Amino acid sequence: MTDVDSSAEETARIILDCGAVHTRTGGEPFFFSSGWASPVFVDLKRLISYPQARRRLLALALDRIAAELPAGSFQQVAGCELAGVPFATIVADRLDLPLVVALKQARGFDRLSQFEGTFEPGTSTLLVDDLTTDGRTKQSLKAALERAQAHVVGIFVFFNYGIFPAAADILSLTTLADVVRVAERDGMLAADALRNLKGFAEDAPRWSHRHGGIAGI
C-alpha cells in the first residue's frame, strides 16, 4: 500500500468514526446545491469539533500538500466560503502563511471585492476547501482569484466524492470509494446502505437523474 493509499484509508476511517457519513436507503435522497441527487452526504464540518481528529487530518493534509507542491510554491492560503474557512485557517496557521477568504459572490467593485483579507497581484495561492462534488465551485473561486490577479498553484480538499465529473487538478486526501471500502471492511455501515452506495458509485450521474437530480454538468 502506498503512502497516498494509507492516508486515504486513515482519512476515511476518521470521517466514519466522527459520524460525518450520512446515508439514505429509502425516500427522498440528498440534493446537493449543485443539483446532484445522492444517497450519501458527507458532513465534513463535523470534524472541526473533534480536536484529535482535526489534528490528525491536518497532519495528513500537510503531508499530502508537501508531496505535491514544492516548498515555497505558494505564499498564501485561500479558504472557500463557508465550510472551507476553518480548514483553510488551520492550514494557513500551521504553515505560518497569510489567509484570505474567497467569497461566492462579490461585495463591491474593486479587485478584491470577492475576498475577505488582502493580497498583492501575483501572489501564489493554494485554494483550500473541506470537500468537492463536481468541482464547479472550486473552479469558480479559482477564476475569481485569477481575476484578482492571484496565481493559483493548486486546489486542495480533504474529501472528494470522486464519482462526479470534476477538475482533475484538485488534490484530496480521500474519496467516496475509500470510505465505502473502509466501511465495508470494518463493518461501519449497514449492508443495505453499502449496496446503495456501491450502485451510486458505479454511475452517479445516472443514479442522480433517476432520483430527480441532474444528470451532468
Side-chain angles (χ1 to χ4, degrees), residues 139-151:
Q139 291 304 312
S140 174
L141 293 176
K142 178 184 178 184
L145 281 162
E146 291 171 342
R147 286 194 299 272
Q149 302 173 43
H151 172 53

Side-chain angles (χ1 to χ4, degrees), residues 28-160:
E28 188 172 279
F30 298 102
F31 286 94
F32 300 147
S33 59
S34 52
W36 297 105
S38 170
V40 59
F41 168 60
V42 178
D43 182 14
L44 219 65
K45 298 184 296 295
R46 284 180 61 92
L47 273 68
I48 65 175
S49 298
Y50 294 86
Q52 289 185 331
R54 190 179 65 216
R55 283 193 295 271
R56 184 56 187 154
L57 278 183
L58 175 59
L60 292 168
L62 293 177
D63 286 346
R64 181 85 168 108
I65 292 168
E68 297 293 336
L69 297 171
S73 63
F74 55 96
Q75 301 163 291
Q76 71 172 0
V77 174
C80 299
E81 181 191 20
L82 176 63
V85 174
F87 294 93
T89 299
I90 57 177
V91 169
D93 189 64
R94 183 61 63 87
L95 295 175
D96 195 27
L97 290 176
L99 172 73
V100 295
V101 176
L103 307 173
K104 293 177 181 176
Q105 293 186 335
R107 299 178 184 174
F109 302 96
D110 64 359
R111 181 176 66 87
L112 298 175
S113 62
Q114 205 167 334
F115 300 91
E116 300 288 357
T118 186
F119 58 89
E120 295 298 319
T123 301
S124 56
T125 304
L126 175 66
L127 182 62
V128 174
D129 206 355
D130 61 335
L131 56 80
T132 190
T133 52
D134 57 22
R136 281 188 288 176
T137 297
K138 258 55 73 180
Q139 291 304 312
S140 174
L141 293 176
K142 178 184 178 184
L145 281 162
E146 291 171 342
R147 286 194 299 272
Q149 302 173 43
H151 172 53
V152 181
V153 301
I155 303 171
F156 177 81
V157 297
F158 289 76
F159 175 80
N160 185 344

